[in-house]
Amino acid sequence: MKLWTLPVMACAAVVIGAMSTGMAMAADLAPQPTEPVAPIATAYDWTGFYVGAQAGYGWGTAHEVVNGVLPIFQPEAIVTNRPKGVFGGLHAGYNYQFGGNFVLGAEADINISAMKSSDKPVTPAGLIAVAGYPVPLAGNTKQKWFGSARLRAGYAFDRFLPYVTGGIAYGDVTAGFNGINGNQVTASVSQAKVGWTVGAGLEYAFTDHLTARVEYRYSAYGKANKFVTDSRGSQGWLPTELKVNDVRIGLSYKL
């Protein structure tokens, strides 16, 4: 081996080493593939306007004081009947979520109702009929429409919202009575009334826009009291007080 080849070989070794080191460093600096990061799930936000529909079943109690129109009945004659039936309607409202989980809202609804009682004969306790008026009496009550305007307050567990509700109830009260035992005597009253309602429910958001609910409500419509004339010409007041329980389900679309 000639002496001049040694320096050449040494230089070549240095160059090759430097190139290897550079390539390794370049490989370390090159972008490395990364695992995709799953998006962080956010809690459902109940804030916003919504519209929807509901259907349910109601049952109640109505008391009719017939002495006003039939003053010959002594002592006070109260006919009690129990309307019941299905109903359905529409609702609309607005929710506002604050403080993390608290939800406060306002809602209104309107319903068409098939709730009514049968003409089951009843004899009020101590009722005495004179002048040919028949006993017993058959009372009847029905409600053809009703609605409400209420506040709602709840505490959200993400997509679950248990809540309470209360406010103004309004609706018609149609009531009357029929005499039994041949000599028929009838009188009726139909009047729109305003009362109050309270209830509680549970709502769940299936999607960001679609929610479903189940709800119980108790409503008292006050006393309908109208001056009427019965079929024999006797005139007077026919006070009727209606109180209703109902259970309903509903679907809402958040706008």
Side-chain angles (χ1 to χ4, degrees), residues 15-27:
V15 171
I16 292 172
M19 292 178 63
S20 299
T21 302
M23 293 175 64
M25 292 178 63

Side-chain angles (χ1 to χ4, degrees), residues 75 106 205 245:
N245 301 272

